[in-house]
Amino acid sequence: MSAASTIDLLRAFGGAKLEPDAVAECQSICQTFDLSTSELFIRWQTFLINQHGGDVSIQPTRERLLQVRGLVQQEQERKLSSQRRGPHASHAIKLSRNKERTHYDKTSVEGLLQGMVSGSQREPPTTPQSTKRAGLLKANASVNRNRAMFSPATPSVFAEPSPSAIRFSSRTTMGRTEDSLHSELPPLVLASDRPPVAVQNLVDKTAEAVEVSSDENDNVDSEKSAAVARSATKRMRYMFEKTGTRTEVVNRRIERMAIETKTKYKIEALANPTYAHQVDVTAVGRILNINLEEGQTATPLTSESLVLETSRRLGNGRRTPLDVRATPSFSLFPGQIVAIEGKNLKGTEFLVSQFRPLPQLPHPCIGERPDALPPFNATVAAGPYTLSDNFEYEPLSVLVDHVLAASPSVVFLLGPFVSEGHPMIRDGLVDMLPEEIFCAKISPHLSRLREGLSPASLIYLIPSADDLCCPYVSFPQPQYSRETLQQMGVPEGIESLDNPAQVSVNGVVFGISNIDILFHLVKEEVSRLPALSDRLPRLAWHLIEQRHFYPLSPPPADCAGVLASQDTRLRMQTMPDVLITPSQLKPFVRAHGNVALLNPGLSSRGLAGGTFAKLSVHPQTSAEPSGAVLGNPQKAYPASFTSVDIVRI
């Protein structure tokens, strides 16, 4: 439009304050739907009457004008539909007003035309955060105002409690213990004036571990180390990786495990499994699915589709099929680093006689640790924290009540806090930004939690790849920035951790991975008489054995991208005493290999409440009955005197 048209637009809106982006949106609406400035103003007044009770103080911002665009779009679609149906269409339209209408979609002809006309006046999303926000606004533009709306003026999604909220309030399973570990230990009672726990982040964000490049474990030069350290401090970005980066990371993972396998089993030299061997040899490589090579991405891994990929040094990166018919026991998945023993008689297929256990990370017992382990208790919960048909966060409110009653030393709250998978967000029934939802619905509960706990208690928020409040959509994720926490209204005294997180609490090492790796593994694993017969703990143990928080490769198509360039953050720096892997699978807690494996479950499961975990690290003397060696508690591990209860919300 010309400058004169802009002046007419400002004159039509009178004393309203129009920002440049709002002026551009008005011009786009007029061009797209052939409206005059006065007709557009009439639509704006109608919007104020219907949505804001006729409050003329509401300013026409770009977000509100996007909603006006949706109303105009619906009006045009009704007119076109009426013209197609003929003179008897008015009665049919009246009958169908209460039915669910089709939302705005770029694939429709009208949507495509609208994007072509107004695309130049809209700034394209350039970050994951803006992409998520734009998706919300686009969906909200065509929401039927007769359906449930969620706005700052009307924060409640329903005028009355939803049916699921009524059932949730009358549930009979609240407080029931679903699973437990070391329930024979007495309840832990801590003094009210106890000192704060000592928390140490075990991930060094400013330096990279020395990568193995040869059998002799040569160190990289100082200039390269400095460059790697600088790159490790950069903010994580997705869709910037090169294929060579992923290849190099995989090669280094195989090489690291190969060198440690040689040391553990005192092997003089590892063999190339792609060559012919008439005697048993040992090789190290990565498990792949041969069906992926043939383009059958939907076919799961089976015992007949196993392929071993070698490193560049050990086998020039070549691959060989595996024959496991004579293997008595195994548990495998794509991307797993394995040490195999067997022979390749003709150079075409490796016959596996056994899978050797991989060397584990050092795990000092109590007596080998520098400091004593003061007792403490903790609460672990994972989102989503609201029912699937509202945004009232009833499970979060009940969870806060449980936490205040237990008064733990440390609280880990794992996202998602505003899940992109919430049905109301997917259906476009929300007209608030994720940060606004967090500030209006979650921050009051966090404030109540912070004020109700002792100042010595620590509270940590951990992001999730499914969380709309986090601008990083890939894995791993950095912690929430201070600016983001302030924007979401998080009170002072609540901190954030990376995802995954590796922290030491009073000397007890916690490994926390807030991605549903267990659900991803359960669909890909193939096993035969595994050493750990309980499947869910076995899936979690794979992370310990692989020393990696996401060893599966490739990840599912619907999963957040895994950044190979940030592989250092995904590697375990030390053996955890407690491994926390929230999953939609059945909650569980097991002790295996001196590690407590914990899936606390989700705080909300659809239209019902979920579970959370209460954890207590007891004094070392409590370990004598079951965890001591020859009556010496100093030979025990923290998992031996750690009790865990998974409680129903």
Side-chain angles (χ1 to χ4, degrees):
M1 295 182 70
S2 63
S5 299
T6 303
I7 295 176
D8 294 338
L9 183 63
L10 296 174
R11 184 183 298 113
F13 277 78
K17 182 180 179 181
L18 288 175
E19 298 293 338
D21 58 347
V23 172
E25 185 61 30
C26 290
Q27 294 173 347
S28 174
I29 295 175
C30 291
Q31 286 182 343
T32 304
F33 302 104
D34 195 20
L35 298 178
S36 65
T37 55
S38 59
E39 291 174 336
L40 176 60
F41 182 67
I42 292 175
R43 267 69 171 184
W44 169 251
Q45 288 183 318
T46 304
F47 171 80
L48 290 181
I49 294 174
N50 292 333
Q51 302 296 335
H52 300 282
D55 187 359
V56 296
S57 63
I58 301 296
Q59 296 298 321
T61 61
R62 181 175 179 272
E63 287 75 15
R64 296 190 179 99
L65 289 172
L66 284 174
Q67 300 182 42
V68 174
R69 174 188 287 273
L71 297 176
V72 176
Q73 175 80 21
Q74 292 179 11
E75 181 181 352
Q76 294 285 345
E77 291 176 351
R78 286 196 296 268
K79 288 182 180 180
L80 291 175
S81 177
S82 177
Q83 292 174 1
R84 296 190 189 102
R85 295 180 182 180
H88 302 288
S90 60
H91 179 66
I93 292 176
K94 290 181 180 180
L95 293 178
S96 64
R97 280 180 180 175
N98 291 329
K99 295 182 179 180
E100 183 175 352
R101 300 188 181 95
T102 303
H103 289 187
Y104 167 76
D105 192 346
K106 282 283 185 181
T107 59
S108 65
V109 177
E110 294 84 1
L112 180 60
L113 179 61
Q114 176 182 347
M116 294 173 60
V117 174
S118 60
S120 61
Q121 299 177 4
R122 296 185 182 182
E123 296 182 1
T126 58
T127 65
Q129 183 180 21
S130 62
T131 301
K132 294 175 179 178
R133 289 182 174 179
L136 279 178
L137 295 175
K138 181 177 71 175
N140 296 333
S142 61
V143 173
N144 183 358
R145 66 179 181 84
N146 291 328
R147 300 175 70 182
M149 297 295 292
F150 187 15
S151 65
T154 58
S156 177
V157 179
F158 295 94
E160 297 181 357
S162 63
S164 62
I166 297 176
R167 290 194 299 270
F168 179 80
S169 61
S170 59
R171 66 198 183 284
T172 59
T173 60
M174 181 178 64
R176 185 177 67 189
T177 300
E178 300 294 334
D179 199 359
S180 62
L181 175 67
H182 294 156
S183 58
E184 71 278 1
L185 295 175
L188 179 63
V189 179
L190 299 176
S192 58
D193 58 346
R194 63 185 182 273
V197 294
V199 178
Q200 178 186 3
N201 195 338
L202 300 180
V203 179
D204 186 358
K205 302 178 183 178
T206 60
E208 177 84 10
V210 176
E211 300 292 353
V212 178
S213 58
S214 68
D215 239 355
E216 291 75 24
N217 195 13
D218 295 333
N219 293 339
V220 294
D221 56 84
S222 58
E223 182 179 352
K224 184 176 180 180
S225 298
V228 172
R230 288 193 298 269
S231 65
T233 61
K234 292 183 179 179
R235 302 184 67 178
M236 301 178 191
R237 300 185 299 173
Y238 75 121
M239 298 177 64
F240 282 88
E241 287 187 334
K242 299 179 181 179
T243 305
T245 302
R246 288 185 171 272
T247 304
E248 183 64 24
V249 167
V250 171
N251 185 73
R252 289 176 174 177
R253 284 190 60 200
I254 298 176
E255 284 293 325
R256 280 194 298 268
M257 195 61 70
I259 290 177
E260 297 207 18
T261 301
K262 284 180 54 179
T263 303
K264 176 180 179 180
Y265 293 105
K266 298 179 174 57
I267 300 174
E268 182 177 351
L270 294 172
N272 184 346
T274 63
Y275 291 168
H277 298 281
Q278 304 304 315
V279 296
D280 285 349
V281 295
T282 300
V284 174
R286 183 174 72 132
I287 294 294
L288 293 180
N289 188 350
I290 193 174
N291 294 327
L292 297 180
E293 296 297 309
E294 300 173 357
Q296 304 175 8
T297 56
T299 304
L301 183 70
T302 64
S303 59
E304 289 78 25
S305 62
L306 296 172
V307 175
L308 185 74
E309 180 185 56
T310 62
S311 66
R312 290 196 293 264
R313 183 182 61 84
L314 296 175
N316 202 25
R318 295 175 60 190
R319 301 170 180 176
T320 182
L322 297 181
D323 184 349
V324 295
R325 287 176 294 180
T327 309
S329 173
F330 60 83
S331 175
L332 306 172
F333 60 88
Q336 181 181 13
I337 308 297
V338 295
I340 60 175
E341 183 178 301
K343 61 186 70 174
N344 192 339
L345 297 178
K346 298 181 180 180
T348 58
E349 187 178 51
F350 193 93
L351 306 178
V352 182
S353 59
Q354 68 168 329
F355 288 89
R356 288 194 166 190
L358 295 178
Q360 297 182 5
L361 287 169
H363 194 196
C365 61
I366 299 302
E368 298 171 346
R369 305 197 183 196
D371 301 320
L373 306 182
F376 66 93
N377 50 12
T379 299
V380 182
Y385 295 94
T386 186
L387 304 179
S388 61
D389 67 345
N390 65 45
F391 274 96
E392 295 304 317
Y393 286 87
E394 297 96 337
L396 179 59
S397 177
V398 176
L399 173 65
V400 171
D401 293 338
H402 279 287
V403 176
L404 293 178
S407 187
S409 306
V410 60
V411 180
F412 295 109
L413 297 179
L414 288 64
F417 299 96
V418 182
S419 174
E420 64 178 11
H422 195 287
M424 296 190 65
I425 291 180
R426 291 201 311 264
D427 295 342
L429 301 180
V430 179
D431 62 356
M432 291 179 70
L433 294 176
E435 293 82 0
E436 295 174 338
I437 298 177
F438 193 106
C439 187
K441 291 298 180 180
I442 300 178
S443 291
H445 294 296
L446 296 181
S447 298
R448 182 164 66 94
L449 180 62
R450 179 66 278 176
E451 294 171 359
L453 290 178
S454 166
S457 299
L458 303 179
I459 305 174
Y460 291 100
L461 307 182
I462 300 178
S464 167
D466 296 330
D467 201 333
L468 290 175
C469 295
C470 182
Y472 298 93
V473 298
S474 53
F475 185 76
Q477 297 172 288
Q479 61 188 12
Y480 292 112
S481 64
R482 175 50 55 184
E483 293 76 12
T484 301
L485 294 178
Q486 292 176 351
Q487 185 181 10
M488 296 188 301
V490 177
E492 294 291 336
I494 296 181
E495 302 297 332
S496 179
L497 294 174
D498 295 342
N499 178 29
Q502 302 174 70
V503 295
S504 171
V505 181
N506 279 6
V508 179
V509 179
F510 285 77
I512 306 173
S513 178
N514 194 17
I515 190 171
D516 202 345
I517 178 62
L518 302 186
F519 184 73
H520 300 162
L521 284 175
V522 77
K523 297 182 292 185
E524 298 290 345
E525 185 202 36
V526 56
S527 63
R528 177 190 299 162
L529 300 176
L532 182 56
S533 58
D534 199 344
R535 190 178 190 187
L536 295 182
R538 183 175 72 245
L539 297 176
W541 184 253
H542 280 312
L543 277 63
I544 300 293
E545 187 180 48
Q546 296 292 305
R547 310 181 181 188
H548 204 273
F549 284 107
Y550 200 93
L552 178 66
S553 179
D558 58 350
C559 171
V562 179
L563 297 178
S565 60
Q566 298 292 333
D567 188 69
T568 302
R569 298 173 183 259
L570 295 177
R571 297 206 308 264
M572 294 184 181
Q573 306 300 317
T574 184
M575 175 76 82
D577 298 308
V578 180
L579 178 63
I580 301 173
T581 54
S583 173
Q584 58 183 298
L585 300 177
K586 181 181 178 181
F588 68 87
V589 57
R590 295 290 187 277
H592 181 74
N594 298 317
V595 178
L597 308 173
L598 171 61
N599 169 23
L602 310 181
S603 297
S604 173
R605 290 184 173 271
L607 300 178
T611 56
F612 71 100
K614 297 192 299 183
L615 181 147
S616 298
V617 177
H618 296 259
Q620 300 174 20
T621 54
S622 302
E624 291 184 9
S626 59
V629 178
L630 299 177
N632 183 5
Q634 294 298 308
K635 295 297 184 180
Y637 292 85
S640 302
F641 51 89
T642 299
S643 63
V644 182
D645 290 326
I646 298 178
V647 182
R648 175 71 60 178
I649 292 181

